[in-house]
Amino acid sequence: MKRMKLMLGLLIVVAMMLSACGKENKQGNAAEKGAPQTAVATDAPSGQDAGSGSGSETGTKVVKYLDQEYTLPSQTERIVITGAVEAMEDAIVLDVNPVGAITVAGQFPEMFQSITKNAQSVGEKTEPNFETILALKPDVILGSSKFKPEVVEQLNKIAPTIPYSHISSNWESNLRLLGELSGKQEQAEKEIAKYKSDLEAAQTQIGDSLKDKKVVAVRIRGGELYIYPAAVFFNPVLYEDLGLAAPEEVNAAKAQELVSKEKFAEMNPDYLFIQFSPDENKETPDALEQFQNDPIIKNLDAFKNGNVFVNAVDPLAQGGTAYSKIEFLKAAVTRLAK
């Protein structure tokens, strides 16, 4: 009797052990088959330790531009351009398509058609439409460095805003900024290098042929004739890049400066580039024709020798951007080296 009780007890112990082992095997098999498990979350991107990187763990990045730092989302895919025609021109060079862009008289000019096919108008150059910009949910806004502080403040409430420089000497920094924002840094560097290479070729082609010649670029606005300082408009290409001599009147100009036809006749340029946009001369649509047919102007050396070039590049081109420099260099060399 005692022996039977002992055997019965052993059988019960063995059964309990087998039951426990069975449960463990089932749990192990479930884990191998992808059963839910508790995991520790991490913000570190693939290939990085948690906490490393430049703000990537928080979804931001810091962009340095003209001695300023801007904290932006790590991905800046939705770009809005308002006020900064310079940024619009650079977008052409890098084929960047903003979600919102500047219109002229409610339309995207033909010059910007390649980058505005899917863009919405965010207002005119000096009149940003804050409601539309807000609705577009931009990652970053490129505004004009000419904007008043209160406009920039309002834009910053919508998204991080970078004042895009209108100063021609910042053209490389501008292009690099847009390249960084759009992920096209390599293309930006290639465009800068190509311009400098083309410039060297142009300098060789022109040589000293224009050493004693006076070359001037002007713009007709509101029916009036304007000249610009040596560092403004297309002048940096002529006087700094190509090394042509700047006329005294250009060197003396402090900003866009109205000049009378009599004063301009005293300048008497040998080569003359005229930029004329109908949008800037709505009340004086015949201003260009009147200027060309004026007896005083027709007596200039540039007119007498057939060296007057109207809209050698698109009249909306600002002059100091990568796009303007690239296009105007090609146009100028073609005309000046003939």
Side-chain angles (χ1 to χ4, degrees):
M1 185 71 178
K2 289 182 179 180
R3 188 173 181 178
M4 291 180 64
K5 289 182 179 180
L6 178 62
M7 290 180 67
L8 182 61
L10 288 172
L11 287 172
I12 293 173
V13 171
V14 170
M16 292 177 64
M17 291 176 67
L18 289 173
S19 176
C21 288
K23 288 182 179 179
E24 288 179 2
N25 286 338
K26 286 181 180 180
Q27 289 176 350
N29 290 336
E32 290 175 4
K33 293 178 181 179
Q37 300 182 62
T38 303
V40 178
T42 175
D43 289 327
S46 176
Q48 291 187 5
D49 295 331
S52 67
S54 300
S56 57
E57 68 276 5
T58 59
T60 62
K61 63 182 177 183
V62 175
V63 171
K64 295 182 180 179
Y65 168 66
L66 298 180
D67 298 325
Q68 297 293 322
E69 292 187 348
Y70 300 89
T71 300
L72 310 174
S74 58
Q75 298 295 322
T76 48
E77 298 176 351
R78 298 183 64 79
I79 300 174
V80 162
I81 300 174
T82 176
V85 180
E86 295 81 5
M88 295 279 287
E89 290 193 22
D90 285 344
I92 298 174
V93 177
L94 298 182
D95 192 27
V96 173
N97 293 266
V99 295
I102 307 164
T103 49
V104 176
Q107 302 292 326
F108 290 121
E110 183 178 352
M111 174 177 166
F112 301 116
Q113 287 298 314
S114 64
I115 61 165
T116 56
K117 294 176 182 178
N118 299 313
Q120 290 188 36
S121 169
V122 293
E124 304 294 294
K125 180 178 178 180
T126 59
E127 301 172 349
N129 187 317
F130 298 111
E131 291 183 2
T132 300
I133 296 173
L134 176 63
L136 288 173
K137 299 180 180 179
D139 296 315
V140 63
I141 299 171
L142 297 178
S144 173
S145 56
K146 294 182 180 180
F147 275 162
K148 294 180 179 179
E150 53 266 31
V151 175
V152 176
E153 181 181 359
Q154 188 69 22
L155 291 172
N156 267 313
K157 292 178 180 179
I158 299 173
T161 300
I162 302 177
Y164 209 82
S165 178
H166 68 283
I167 306 299
S168 60
S169 58
N170 291 328
W171 74 276
E172 292 182 51
S173 295
N174 282 353
L175 196 65
R176 287 188 173 113
L177 170 64
L178 187 60
E180 183 170 0
L181 296 178
S182 60
K184 296 187 176 183
Q185 298 97 320
E186 184 176 347
Q187 185 179 345
E189 293 301 328
K190 286 181 178 179
E191 294 292 347
I192 292 171
K194 186 178 185 305
Y195 175 78
K196 293 180 178 180
S197 176
D198 290 345
L199 176 59
E200 289 183 4
Q203 291 169 334
T204 301
Q205 185 176 354
I206 292 175
D208 294 330
S209 62
L210 300 175
K211 184 177 180 180
D212 299 317
K213 301 297 183 179
K214 191 179 293 185
V215 183
V216 178
V218 300
R219 180 182 271 153
I220 296 177
R221 278 179 163 170
E224 302 288 355
L225 186 69
Y226 291 91
I227 61 172
Y228 296 83
V232 178
F233 195 38
F234 295 106
N235 290 345
V237 176
L238 294 174
Y239 309 130
E240 181 179 345
D241 296 353
L242 291 175
L244 306 180
E248 293 180 5
E249 294 83 356
V250 170
N251 285 328
K254 302 301 181 184
Q256 174 178 272
E257 186 173 299
L258 189 153
V259 58
S260 67
K261 60 183 180 182
E262 291 80 12
K263 183 67 175 178
F264 193 67
E266 293 178 10
M267 292 178 65
N268 193 22
D270 297 290
Y271 295 84
L272 177 60
F273 291 90
I274 303 173
Q275 293 295 97
F276 176 87
S277 171
D279 289 323
E280 296 181 330
N281 294 273
K282 291 182 178 179
E283 295 183 4
T284 54
D286 299 326
L288 175 60
E289 183 179 352
Q290 291 176 2
F291 176 77
Q292 292 173 311
N293 292 326
D294 188 285
I296 296 177
I297 299 300
K298 289 175 67 176
N299 200 41
L300 300 179
D301 287 344
F303 277 88
K304 290 191 293 184
N305 297 322
N307 291 324
V308 177
F309 316 111
V310 178
N311 292 341
V313 296
D314 194 292
L316 288 180
Q318 297 298 288
T321 68
Y323 173 83
S324 288
K325 290 172 77 72
I326 291 168
E327 295 301 315
F328 187 70
L329 179 65
K330 291 188 293 186
V333 172
T334 299
R335 291 157 176 79
L336 297 175
K338 66 179 182 178

